[in-house]
Coordinates of all heavy atoms in Angstrom, one line a residue:
M29 N -27.4 19.0 40.8 CA -26.7 18.0 40.0 C -27.0 18.4 38.5 O -28.1 18.7 38.1 CB -27.3 16.6 40.3 CG -26.7 15.6 39.5 SD -27.2 13.9 40.0 CE -28.8 13.7 39.2
T30 N -25.9 18.4 37.7 CA -26.0 18.8 36.3 C -26.1 17.5 35.5 O -25.5 16.5 35.9 CB -24.7 19.5 36.0 OG1 -24.4 20.6 36.9 CG2 -24.7 20.1 34.6
K31 N -26.8 17.6 34.4 CA -26.9 16.4 33.5 C -25.6 16.3 32.6 O -25.0 17.3 32.2 CB -28.1 16.6 32.5 CG -29.4 16.3 33.2 CD -29.6 14.9 33.5 CE -31.0 14.6 34.0 NZ -31.2 13.2 34.3
M32 N -25.3 15.1 32.2 CA -24.1 14.9 31.4 C -24.5 14.1 30.2 O -25.2 13.0 30.3 CB -23.0 14.1 32.2 CG -21.7 13.9 31.5 SD -20.6 12.9 32.5 CE -19.4 14.1 33.0
S33 N -24.2 14.6 29.0 CA -24.6 13.9 27.8 C -23.7 12.7 27.5 O -22.7 12.5 28.2 CB -24.4 14.9 26.6 OG -23.1 15.1 26.3
A34 N -24.2 11.8 26.6 CA -23.4 10.6 26.3 C -22.0 10.9 25.8 O -21.0 10.2 26.2 CB -24.2 9.8 25.3
G35 N -21.8 11.9 25.0 CA -20.5 12.4 24.5 C -19.6 12.8 25.6 O -18.4 12.5 25.7
E36 N -20.2 13.6 26.6 CA -19.4 14.0 27.7 C -19.0 12.9 28.6 O -17.9 12.9 29.2 CB -20.3 15.1 28.5 CG -20.5 16.4 27.8 CD -21.5 17.3 28.5 OE1 -22.4 16.8 29.1 OE2 -21.2 18.5 28.4
K37 N -19.9 11.9 28.8 CA -19.5 10.7 29.6 C -18.3 10.0 28.9 O -17.4 9.6 29.6 CB -20.7 9.7 29.6 CG -21.8 10.1 30.6 CD -22.8 9.1 30.7 CE -24.0 9.5 31.6 NZ -25.0 8.5 31.7
E38 N -18.4 9.8 27.6 CA -17.3 9.1 26.9 C -16.0 9.9 27.1 O -14.9 9.4 27.3 CB -17.6 8.9 25.5 CG -18.5 7.8 25.2 CD -18.1 6.5 25.9 OE1 -16.9 6.1 25.7 OE2 -18.9 5.8 26.6
L39 N -16.0 11.2 27.0 CA -14.9 12.1 27.2 C -14.3 12.0 28.6 O -13.1 11.9 28.8 CB -15.3 13.5 26.9 CG -14.1 14.6 26.8 CD1 -13.1 14.2 25.7 CD2 -14.7 16.0 26.6
A40 N -15.2 12.0 29.6 CA -14.8 11.8 31.0 C -14.1 10.4 31.2 O -13.1 10.3 31.9 CB -16.0 12.0 31.9
K41 N -14.7 9.4 30.6 CA -14.1 8.1 30.8 C -12.8 8.0 30.1 O -11.9 7.4 30.7 CB -15.1 7.0 30.2 CG -16.3 6.7 31.0 CD -17.2 5.7 30.3 CE -18.5 5.4 31.0 NZ -19.3 4.4 30.4
D42 N -12.6 8.6 29.0 CA -11.3 8.6 28.3 C -10.3 9.3 29.1 O -9.1 8.8 29.3 CB -11.5 9.2 26.9 CG -10.2 9.2 26.1 OD1 -9.6 8.1 26.0 OD2 -9.7 10.2 25.7
A43 N -10.7 10.4 29.7 CA -9.7 11.2 30.5 C -9.3 10.4 31.7 O -8.1 10.4 32.1 CB -10.3 12.5 30.9
C44 N -10.3 9.7 32.3 CA -10.0 8.9 33.5 C -9.0 7.7 33.2 O -8.2 7.4 34.0 CB -11.3 8.3 34.0 SG -11.1 7.4 35.6
R45 N -9.1 7.1 32.0 CA -8.2 6.0 31.6 C -6.8 6.5 31.5 O -5.9 5.7 31.7 CB -8.6 5.5 30.3 CG -9.8 4.5 30.3 CD -10.1 3.9 29.0 NE -11.5 3.8 28.8 CZ -12.3 4.5 28.0 NH1 -11.7 5.4 27.2 NH2 -13.6 4.3 28.0
R46 N -6.6 7.8 31.3 CA -5.2 8.3 31.2 C -4.6 8.7 32.5 O -3.4 9.0 32.5 CB -5.2 9.5 30.3 CG -5.7 9.2 28.9 CD -6.0 10.5 28.1 NE -6.7 10.2 26.8 CZ -6.1 10.1 25.7 NH1 -4.8 10.2 25.6 NH2 -6.8 9.8 24.6
L47 N -5.3 8.6 33.6 CA -4.9 8.9 34.9 C -4.6 7.7 35.7 O -5.2 6.6 35.4 CB -5.8 9.9 35.6 CG -6.1 11.2 34.9 CD1 -7.3 11.9 35.6 CD2 -4.9 12.1 35.0
S48 N -3.9 7.8 36.8 CA -3.7 6.7 37.7 C -3.6 7.2 39.1 O -3.3 8.4 39.4 CB -2.5 5.8 37.3 OG -1.3 6.6 37.4
G49 N -3.8 6.3 40.1 CA -3.5 6.6 41.5 C -4.4 7.7 42.0 O -5.6 7.8 41.7
Y50 N -3.7 8.6 42.8 CA -4.4 9.7 43.5 C -5.1 10.6 42.5 O -6.3 11.0 42.7 CB -3.4 10.5 44.3 CG -3.9 11.8 44.8 CD1 -4.9 11.8 45.8 CD2 -3.5 13.0 44.3 CE1 -5.4 13.0 46.3 CE2 -3.9 14.2 44.8 CZ -4.9 14.2 45.8 OH -5.4 15.4 46.2
K51 N -4.5 10.9 41.4 CA -5.1 11.8 40.4 C -6.4 11.2 39.8 O -7.3 12.0 39.5 CB -4.1 12.2 39.3 CG -3.0 13.1 39.8 CD -2.0 13.5 38.7 CE -0.9 14.4 39.3 NZ -0.1 14.9 38.3
R52 N -6.3 9.9 39.5 CA -7.5 9.3 39.0 C -8.7 9.3 40.0 O -9.8 9.6 39.6 CB -7.2 7.8 38.6 CG -8.3 7.1 38.0 CD -8.0 5.7 37.7 NE -9.0 5.0 37.0 CZ -8.9 4.3 35.9 NH1 -7.7 4.1 35.4 NH2 -9.9 3.7 35.4
R53 N -8.4 9.0 41.2 CA -9.4 9.0 42.3 C -10.0 10.4 42.5 O -11.2 10.6 42.6 CB -8.9 8.5 43.6 CG -8.6 7.0 43.6 CD -8.2 6.5 44.9 NE -7.2 7.2 45.6 CZ -5.9 6.8 45.6 NH1 -5.5 5.8 44.8 NH2 -5.0 7.5 46.2
E54 N -9.1 11.4 42.4 CA -9.5 12.8 42.6 C -10.5 13.2 41.4 O -11.5 13.8 41.7 CB -8.3 13.7 42.6 CG -8.6 15.2 42.8 CD -7.4 16.0 42.8 OE1 -6.4 15.8 42.0 OE2 -7.3 16.9 43.6
Y55 N -10.1 12.8 40.2 CA -10.9 13.1 39.1 C -12.3 12.4 39.1 O -13.3 13.0 38.9 CB -10.2 12.7 37.8 CG -11.0 13.0 36.5 CD1 -11.1 14.3 36.0 CD2 -11.5 11.9 35.8 CE1 -11.8 14.5 34.9 CE2 -12.2 12.2 34.6 CZ -12.4 13.4 34.2 OH -13.1 13.7 33.0
Q56 N -12.3 11.1 39.5 CA -13.5 10.4 39.6 C -14.4 10.9 40.6 O -15.6 11.1 40.4 CB -13.2 8.9 39.9 CG -12.6 8.1 38.8 CD -12.2 6.7 39.2 OE1 -11.8 6.5 40.3 NE2 -12.3 5.8 38.2
A57 N -13.9 11.3 41.8 CA -14.7 11.9 42.8 C -15.3 13.2 42.4 O -16.5 13.5 42.7 CB -13.8 12.1 44.1
S58 N -14.5 14.0 41.7 CA -15.1 15.3 41.3 C -16.2 15.2 40.3 O -17.2 15.8 40.4 CB -14.0 16.2 40.7 OG -13.5 15.7 39.5
I59 N -16.1 14.2 39.4 CA -17.1 14.0 38.4 C -18.4 13.4 39.1 O -19.5 13.8 38.8 CB -16.6 13.0 37.3 CG1 -15.5 13.7 36.4 CG2 -17.8 12.5 36.4 CD1 -16.0 14.8 35.6
A60 N -18.1 12.4 40.0 CA -19.2 11.8 40.7 C -20.0 12.8 41.5 O -21.2 12.8 41.6 CB -18.7 10.7 41.6
L61 N -19.3 13.7 42.2 CA -20.0 14.7 43.0 C -20.8 15.7 42.1 O -21.9 16.1 42.4 CB -19.0 15.5 43.9 CG -18.5 14.8 45.1 CD1 -17.4 15.5 45.8 CD2 -19.7 14.5 46.1
K62 N -20.1 16.2 41.1 CA -20.7 17.2 40.2 C -21.9 16.7 39.5 O -22.9 17.4 39.3 CB -19.7 17.8 39.3 CG -20.2 19.0 38.5 CD -19.1 19.6 37.7 CE -19.7 20.8 36.9 NZ -18.7 21.5 36.1
Y63 N -21.8 15.5 38.9 CA -22.9 15.0 38.0 C -23.8 14.0 38.6 O -24.9 13.8 38.1 CB -22.3 14.5 36.7 CG -21.6 15.6 36.0 CD1 -20.2 15.7 36.0 CD2 -22.3 16.5 35.2 CE1 -19.5 16.7 35.3 CE2 -21.7 17.5 34.5 CZ -20.3 17.6 34.5 OH -19.7 18.6 33.8
F64 N -23.3 13.2 39.6 CA -24.1 12.0 40.0 C -24.3 11.8 41.5 O -24.4 10.7 42.0 CB -23.4 10.7 39.4 CG -23.2 10.8 38.0 CD1 -21.9 10.9 37.5 CD2 -24.2 10.8 37.1 CE1 -21.6 11.0 36.1 CE2 -24.0 10.9 35.7 CZ -22.7 11.0 35.2
D65 N -24.3 12.9 42.2 CA -24.5 12.9 43.7 C -23.5 11.9 44.4 O -23.9 11.3 45.3 CB -25.9 12.6 44.0 CG -26.9 13.7 43.7 OD1 -26.4 14.9 43.7 OD2 -28.1 13.4 43.5
G66 N -22.3 11.8 43.9 CA -21.3 11.0 44.6 C -21.4 9.5 44.2 O -20.7 8.7 44.8
S67 N -22.2 9.1 43.2 CA -22.3 7.7 42.8 C -21.4 7.4 41.6 O -21.3 8.2 40.6 CB -23.8 7.4 42.4 OG -23.9 6.2 41.8
A68 N -20.8 6.2 41.6 CA -19.9 5.8 40.5 C -20.7 5.0 39.5 O -20.2 4.7 38.4 CB -18.8 5.0 41.1
R69 N -21.9 4.6 39.8 CA -22.7 3.7 39.0 C -22.9 4.1 37.6 O -22.7 3.4 36.6 CB -24.0 3.4 39.7 CG -24.8 2.4 39.0 CD -26.0 1.9 39.8 NE -25.5 1.3 41.0 CZ -26.2 0.9 42.0 NH1 -27.5 1.1 42.0 NH2 -25.7 0.3 43.0
E70 N -23.2 5.4 37.4 CA -23.5 5.9 36.1 C -22.3 5.8 35.1 O -22.5 5.7 33.9 CB -23.9 7.4 36.1 CG -25.3 7.6 36.6 CD -26.3 7.3 35.5 OE1 -26.1 7.5 34.3 OE2 -27.4 6.7 35.9
M71 N -21.1 6.0 35.6 CA -19.9 6.0 34.8 C -19.3 4.6 34.6 O -18.5 4.4 33.8 CB -18.9 6.9 35.3 CG -19.3 8.4 35.4 SD -19.7 9.0 33.7 CE -18.0 9.2 33.1
G72 N -19.7 3.6 35.4 CA -19.2 2.3 35.4 C -17.8 2.1 36.0 O -17.1 1.2 35.8
W73 N -17.5 3.1 36.9 CA -16.2 3.1 37.6 C -16.4 2.2 38.8 O -17.4 2.0 39.4 CB -15.8 4.5 38.0 CG -15.4 5.4 36.9 CD1 -14.8 5.0 35.7 CD2 -15.5 6.8 36.8 NE1 -14.6 6.1 34.9 CE2 -15.0 7.2 35.5 CE3 -16.0 7.7 37.6 CZ2 -15.0 8.5 35.2 CZ3 -16.0 9.1 37.3 CH2 -15.4 9.4 36.0
G74 N -15.2 1.7 39.3 CA -15.2 0.9 40.5 C -15.7 1.7 41.7 O -15.2 2.8 42.0
R75 N -16.6 1.2 42.5 CA -17.1 1.9 43.7 C -16.0 2.2 44.7 O -16.0 3.3 45.3 CB -18.2 1.0 44.3 CG -18.9 1.7 45.4 CD -20.1 0.8 45.9 NE -19.6 -0.4 46.5 CZ -20.1 -1.6 46.2 NH1 -21.1 -1.7 45.3 NH2 -19.6 -2.7 46.7
K76 N -15.1 1.3 44.9 CA -14.1 1.4 45.9 C -13.2 2.6 45.6 O -12.9 3.4 46.5 CB -13.3 0.1 46.0 CG -12.2 0.2 47.1 CD -12.8 0.2 48.5 CE -11.7 0.2 49.5 NZ -12.1 0.6 50.8
G77 N -12.8 2.7 44.3 CA -11.9 3.9 44.0 C -12.6 5.2 44.1 O -12.0 6.2 44.6
V78 N -13.8 5.3 43.7 CA -14.6 6.5 43.9 C -14.8 6.9 45.3 O -14.6 8.0 45.8 CB -15.9 6.5 43.1 CG1 -16.7 7.8 43.3 CG2 -15.7 6.3 41.6
E79 N -15.1 5.8 46.1 CA -15.3 6.1 47.6 C -14.0 6.6 48.2 O -14.1 7.5 49.1 CB -15.8 4.8 48.3 CG -17.2 4.4 47.9 CD -17.6 3.1 48.5 OE1 -16.8 2.4 49.1 OE2 -18.8 2.7 48.4
T80 N -12.9 6.0 47.8 CA -11.6 6.4 48.4 C -11.4 7.9 47.9 O -10.9 8.7 48.8 CB -10.5 5.5 47.9 OG1 -10.8 4.2 48.3 CG2 -9.2 6.0 48.5
G81 N -11.6 8.2 46.7 CA -11.5 9.6 46.2 C -12.3 10.6 46.9 O -11.9 11.7 47.3
L82 N -13.6 10.2 47.2 CA -14.5 11.1 47.9 C -14.0 11.3 49.4 O -14.1 12.4 49.9 CB -15.9 10.5 47.9 CG -16.6 10.5 46.6 CD1 -17.9 9.6 46.7 CD2 -17.0 11.9 46.2
E83 N -13.5 10.2 50.0 CA -13.0 10.3 51.4 C -11.7 11.2 51.4 O -11.5 12.0 52.3 CB -12.7 8.9 51.9 CG -12.3 8.9 53.4 CD -13.5 9.3 54.3 OE1 -14.7 9.3 53.9 OE2 -13.2 9.7 55.5
E84 N -10.9 11.0 50.4 CA -9.7 11.9 50.3 C -10.0 13.3 50.2 O -9.4 14.2 50.8 CB -8.8 11.4 49.1 CG -8.1 10.1 49.3 CD -7.4 9.6 48.1 OE1 -7.8 9.9 47.0 OE2 -6.4 8.9 48.3
A85 N -11.1 13.6 49.3 CA -11.5 15.0 49.1 C -12.1 15.5 50.4 O -11.9 16.7 50.8 CB -12.5 15.1 48.0
R86 N -12.9 14.7 51.1 CA -13.5 15.2 52.3 C -12.5 15.5 53.4 O -12.7 16.5 54.1 CB -14.5 14.1 52.8 CG -15.4 14.5 54.0 CD -16.3 13.4 54.5 NE -15.5 12.3 55.1 CZ -15.0 12.4 56.4 NH1 -15.1 13.5 57.1 NH2 -14.3 11.4 56.9
T87 N -11.6 14.6 53.6 CA -10.6 14.8 54.7 C -9.4 15.6 54.4 O -8.7 16.2 55.3 CB -10.1 13.4 55.2 OG1 -9.4 12.8 54.1 CG2 -11.2 12.5 55.7
G88 N -9.1 15.7 53.1 CA -7.9 16.4 52.7 C -6.6 15.6 52.8 O -5.5 16.0 52.6
M89 N -6.8 14.3 53.2 CA -5.7 13.4 53.4 C -5.6 12.4 52.2 O -6.6 11.9 51.8 CB -5.8 12.6 54.7 CG -5.7 13.5 55.9 SD -6.0 12.6 57.4 CE -4.6 11.5 57.5
R90 N -4.4 12.2 51.7 CA -4.2 11.4 50.5 C -3.8 10.0 50.9 O -2.9 9.8 51.8 CB -3.2 12.0 49.6 CG -2.9 11.3 48.4 CD -1.9 12.0 47.6 NE -1.1 11.1 46.9 CZ 0.0 11.4 46.2 NH1 0.4 12.7 46.1 NH2 0.7 10.6 45.6
C91 N -4.5 8.9 50.4 CA -4.1 7.6 50.6 C -2.8 7.2 49.8 O -2.6 7.7 48.7 CB -5.2 6.6 50.2 SG -6.7 6.8 51.2
I92 N -2.0 6.4 50.4 CA -0.8 6.0 49.7 C -1.0 4.8 48.8 O -1.6 3.8 49.2 CB 0.3 5.6 50.8 CG1 0.6 6.9 51.7 CG2 1.6 5.1 50.1 CD1 1.5 6.6 52.8
D93 N -0.6 4.9 47.6 CA -0.7 3.8 46.6 C 0.4 2.8 46.9 O 1.5 3.2 47.1 CB -0.6 4.4 45.2 CG -1.8 5.3 44.9 OD1 -2.9 5.0 45.2 OD2 -1.5 6.4 44.3
N94 N 0.1 1.5 46.7 CA 1.0 0.5 46.9 C 1.2 -0.3 45.6 O 0.8 -1.4 45.5 CB 0.6 -0.4 48.1 CG 1.6 -1.5 48.4 OD1 2.8 -1.4 47.9 ND2 1.2 -2.5 49.1
F95 N 1.7 0.4 44.6 CA 1.8 -0.3 43.3 C 2.8 -1.5 43.3 O 2.5 -2.5 42.6 CB 2.3 0.7 42.2 CG 1.3 1.8 41.9 CD1 1.5 3.1 42.2 CD2 0.1 1.4 41.4 CE1 0.6 4.1 41.9 CE2 -0.9 2.4 41.1 CZ -0.6 3.7 41.4
K96 N 3.9 -1.4 44.1 CA 4.8 -2.5 44.2 C 4.1 -3.8 44.8 O 4.4 -4.9 44.4 CB 6.0 -2.1 45.1 CG 7.0 -1.4 44.3 CD 8.3 -1.3 45.2 CE 9.4 -0.7 44.4 NZ 10.6 -0.6 45.2
G97 N 3.2 -3.5 45.7 CA 2.5 -4.6 46.3 C 1.6 -5.4 45.4 O 1.1 -6.5 45.7
R98 N 1.3 -4.8 44.3 CA 0.3 -5.5 43.3 C 1.0 -6.4 42.4 O 0.4 -7.2 41.7 CB -0.4 -4.4 42.5 CG -1.2 -3.5 43.4 CD -1.9 -2.5 42.5 NE -2.5 -1.5 43.4 CZ -3.0 -0.4 43.0 NH1 -3.0 -0.1 41.7 NH2 -3.4 0.5 43.8
K99 N 2.4 -6.3 42.3 CA 3.1 -7.2 41.3 C 3.0 -8.6 41.8 O 3.2 -8.9 43.0 CB 4.5 -6.7 41.2 CG 4.7 -5.5 40.4 CD 6.1 -5.0 40.2 CE 7.2 -5.8 40.5 NZ 8.5 -5.2 40.3
P100 N 2.9 -9.6 40.9 CA 2.9 -11.0 41.4 C 4.3 -11.3 41.8 O 5.3 -10.7 41.3 CB 2.5 -11.7 40.1 CG 2.8 -10.8 39.0 CD 2.6 -9.4 39.5
P101 N 4.5 -12.2 42.7 CA 5.8 -12.6 43.2 C 6.6 -13.2 42.1 O 6.1 -14.0 41.2 CB 5.6 -13.6 44.3 CG 4.1 -14.0 44.2 CD 3.4 -13.0 43.4
T102 N 7.9 -13.0 42.1 CA 8.7 -13.6 41.0 C 9.1 -15.0 41.5 O 9.3 -15.3 42.6 CB 10.0 -12.8 40.8 OG1 10.7 -12.7 42.1 CG2 9.7 -11.4 40.3
T103 N 9.2 -15.9 40.5 CA 9.5 -17.3 40.8 C 10.9 -17.5 40.2 O 11.3 -17.0 39.1 CB 8.5 -18.2 40.2 OG1 8.4 -18.0 38.8 CG2 7.2 -18.1 40.8
T104 N 11.7 -18.3 40.8 CA 13.0 -18.6 40.4 C 13.2 -20.1 40.1 O 12.4 -20.9 40.5 CB 14.1 -18.3 41.4 OG1 13.8 -18.9 42.6 CG2 14.2 -16.8 41.5

C-alpha cells in the first residue's frame, strides 16, 4: 500500500467528481486498491459504489447503470 498526500487526495477527489457511472466506479476501485487496501473510508466516497467497482474489477463484468430509473416521476 502506497501513502497518498493531502494534495493527491484532493486531486483524486476532483478527478472522481468529473466521472460518472462505470468509469467512476472503476476509478474509485483502482484508487481504493492501490492506496487504501480496498477501503473507501479514507476518501469519503460511498462504500456501495466502491464495493461495486471492486466487484466489477474482480469479475470483469460491468453492472448496468439505471439513470432513467432515478428520475422522479412526472406529475400532470
Side-chain angles (χ1 to χ4, degrees):
M29 182 170 79
T30 310
K31 287 286 187 182
M32 187 181 251
S33 71
E36 290 171 326
K37 283 183 184 179
E38 284 307 311
L39 188 61
K41 287 180 181 181
D42 183 53
C44 186
R45 280 185 219 108
R46 297 169 192 262
L47 299 170
S48 64
Y50 168 71
K51 290 182 180 188
R52 182 182 185 132
R53 292 190 304 269
E54 181 180 42
Y55 180 74
Q56 288 175 326
S58 69
I59 295 293
L61 283 173
K62 184 173 182 177
Y63 295 103
F64 308 110
D65 288 333
S67 172
R69 185 169 293 171
E70 282 288 320
M71 296 298 288
W73 291 330
R75 184 176 65 227
K76 181 69 175 162
V78 175
E79 287 174 357
T80 302
L82 291 169
E83 188 66 17
E84 289 173 333
R86 186 184 70 75
T87 63
M89 295 176 66
R90 183 175 144 188
C91 294
I92 297 172
D93 295 315
N94 185 13
F95 292 116
K96 278 189 170 184
R98 297 181 195 171
K99 287 182 13 180
T102 56
T103 57
T104 55

